[in-house]
Amino acid sequence: QVQLLESGGGLVQPGGPLSLSCPASGSIFSRPALGWYRQGPGKQRALVAYISIGGSPNHADSVKGRFTIPRDNAKNTVYLQMNSLKPEDTAVYYCNKYPNPIPWGQGTQVTVSS
């Protein structure tokens, strides 16, 4: 059974950092790429960044230079390290395959507010 368990969300002030993690079961972790997606209030879910199994990352323009997406193959875990957070980064964040995501997990809420 594939499980996606996002964690690490919370309330953070603008300009602050936050790190999310997603330990994934082996069957999904071995897929070509894993991504982080987010769904803000009143918005559709969108890709934030993804990383190939070989470690090549790609980021949406809105987060380039602020977010990174490392993965730890030994721990079957993908992370999203976020810096210089903005109020518009407020969203529920999900990890999943990229492309062709499987059924979504619960996600983790990130709120950027002063």
Side-chain angles (χ1 to χ4, degrees), residues 50-73:
Y50 69 91
I51 184 165
S52 70
I53 195 168
S56 299
N58 290 270
H59 304 83
D61 288 343
S62 59
V63 305
K64 276 182 182 176
R66 301 189 298 123
F67 291 12
T68 59
I69 182 171
R71 64 188 287 167
D72 186 333
N73 292 335

Side-chain angles (χ1 to χ4, degrees), residues 37-48 62-63 66 86-94 110:
Y37 303 75
R38 68 184 180 186
Q39 186 167 17
K43 298 181 181 179
Q44 290 188 334
R45 187 152 31 207
L47 180 70
V48 174
S62 59
V63 305
R66 301 189 298 123
K86 305 175 181 180
E88 51 263 43
D89 295 318
T90 294
V92 180
Y93 285 72
Y94 304 85
V110 173

Side-chain angles (χ1 to χ4, degrees), residues 4-109:
L4 301 165
L5 299 172
E6 305 91 346
S7 65
L11 174 64
V12 61
Q13 291 190 342
L18 201 62
S19 185
L20 310 181
S21 65
C22 179
S25 62
S27 62
I28 185 174
F29 201 82
S30 63
R31 299 306 177 97
L34 290 173
W36 281 95
Y37 303 75
R38 68 184 180 186
Q39 186 167 17
K43 298 181 181 179
Q44 290 188 334
R45 187 152 31 207
L47 180 70
V48 174
Y50 69 91
I51 184 165
S52 70
I53 195 168
S56 299
N58 290 270
H59 304 83
D61 288 343
S62 59
V63 305
K64 276 182 182 176
R66 301 189 298 123
F67 291 12
T68 59
I69 182 171
R71 64 188 287 167
D72 186 333
N73 292 335
K75 295 182 179 180
N76 281 5
T77 300
V78 62
Y79 304 91
L80 186 67
Q81 295 176 342
M82 305 182 289
N83 294 301
S84 302
L85 281 161
K86 305 175 181 180
E88 51 263 43
D89 295 318
T90 294
V92 180
Y93 285 72
Y94 304 85
C95 67
N96 212 315
K97 288 174 54 218
Y98 175 82
N100 303 321
I102 63 171
W104 300 93
Q106 295 286 335
T108 186
Q109 175 71 47

